[in-house]
Amino acid sequence: MEFSEKLIQLRRKQGMSQEQLADRLGITRQSVSKWESGSAAPELSKLITLSEMFQVSIDYLVKDAEEPKGAEKEESRRLEEKVDNIVRYMKGYHYTSKAMIKGVPFVCVRLSRRLGKEGVAKGIIAVGNVAIGVLSFGCISVGVISIGCLGFGILALGCIAVGLMALGAMAAGIVAIGSLAIGIYAAGAAAFGKEVAIGAAAHGNTVIGESVKGAHCLRWYSGLSAEEAERFILESHPRLWSPLLKFLAAIAGSMGR
């Protein structure tokens, strides 16, 4: 049995389509189609991934022979591990969990020393040069909860963070906390908030800080408490969501000490 036939058999046994297999390998569906038609062959790193995914040896995949057993299989496994370590060192680290939710891997890790698709991770939990997932960690990170140098998400944390709630050196969002914070509600060294701004330099409608500009301003002074800050914010925002109010007041109180 040739490699192309074995790949079709193994893929179908796992109940995967060509597109699903391609996604797990980080390649295009056309590449899988070429492998299965016998018009192209995968590179070594992909063979290693296939052997791990289907729990067969590389020898079984590429040779017209049955799966080796016993000592021969163990020797083959050790050789594959050595090759895998070399490939991972040269190209980074890739891991995709077998568990999937609606065709999306539960965990996907793609760390690469090179730019390109090899460093893009997509999964429920994603870790990579570029990470896209519900919970994502990466240099560039996109997700519900996103952590990275550049983070985009409902909750975003990063050197530059953009989200509904953003925390970072530079943060932009509905609620933004950072050295430079821009949002509806903002707190930081320099804060620009449409409704509430808290910071050493603050600009907005309701403002608490040292250098302030806004319709309602409260300058910091020694001993400013969270309770005082809360009462001040309530004067102009009586319907502000209580947890957010207390959060902003706590920040103002801690900065005013």
Side-chain angles (χ1 to χ4, degrees):
M1 188 184 298
E2 295 183 353
F3 168 76
S4 58
E5 297 172 299
K6 292 176 183 177
L7 181 59
I8 293 171
Q9 185 182 78
L10 291 167
R11 174 176 62 77
R12 289 177 176 173
K13 187 176 180 180
Q14 292 290 327
M16 286 192 291
S17 66
Q18 287 185 343
E19 287 185 356
Q20 288 173 328
L21 178 58
D23 286 342
R24 293 188 66 174
L25 292 171
I27 59 175
T28 63
R29 186 197 64 78
Q30 287 78 8
S31 295
V32 174
S33 178
K34 288 180 181 179
W35 295 351
E36 293 188 351
S37 67
S39 61
E43 60 187 23
L44 179 59
S45 62
K46 300 306 181 189
L47 282 172
I48 292 172
T49 304
L50 287 169
S51 71
E52 291 175 346
M53 186 184 302
F54 296 126
Q55 296 185 336
V56 296
S57 70
I58 291 178
D59 279 350
Y60 172 75
L61 289 173
V62 301
K63 292 182 180 180
D64 189 13
E66 295 300 318
E67 175 72 0
K69 298 180 180 179
E72 184 182 351
K73 184 174 182 179
E74 180 62 22
E75 180 63 26
S76 176
R77 185 189 65 79
R78 286 198 294 267
L79 177 60
E80 288 168 18
E81 286 181 353
K82 291 178 181 178
V83 174
D84 193 23
N85 288 336
I86 294 172
V87 171
R88 286 177 177 174
Y89 176 79
M90 296 301 295
K91 294 189 175 182
Y93 177 75
H94 294 174
Y95 169 78
T96 302
S97 67
K98 294 179 182 178
M100 302 184 79
I101 298 176
K102 293 186 177 180
V104 179
F106 185 73
V107 178
C108 181
V109 180
R110 291 192 174 276
L111 300 170
S112 176
R113 291 178 175 83
R114 299 185 298 181
L115 298 176
K117 289 184 178 180
E118 290 184 352
V120 179
K122 297 179 181 179
I124 304 301
I125 299 174
V127 181
N129 296 16
V130 177
I132 303 170
V134 175
L135 176 59
S136 58
F137 304 84
C139 294
I140 299 175
S141 180
V142 180
V144 176
I145 299 175
S146 173
I147 302 172
C149 296
L150 179 57
F152 301 89
I154 293 177
L155 173 59
L157 297 88
C159 296
I160 300 175
V162 180
L164 294 183
M165 183 169 186
L167 294 86
M170 296 178 64
I174 292 178
V175 179
I177 312 295
S179 297
L180 173 61
I182 302 171
I184 306 299
Y185 305 95
F192 300 86
K194 184 176 182 297
E195 295 298 330
V196 178
I198 301 168
H203 185 286
N205 179 29
T206 299
V207 183
I208 301 174
E210 292 181 5
S211 175
V212 295
K213 184 177 181 181
H216 307 278
C217 299
L218 175 63
R219 293 186 182 276
W220 277 338
Y221 59 88
S222 179
L224 175 67
S225 68
E227 290 75 16
E228 290 172 307
E230 183 175 336
R231 286 195 297 270
F232 174 73
I233 296 171
L234 270 175
E235 289 176 5
S236 54
H237 295 81
R239 295 184 179 180
L240 186 61
W241 187 42
S242 179
L244 178 57
L245 170 64
K246 292 186 180 299
F247 177 64
L248 293 171
I251 292 174
S254 65
M255 288 182 171
R257 290 174 184 172

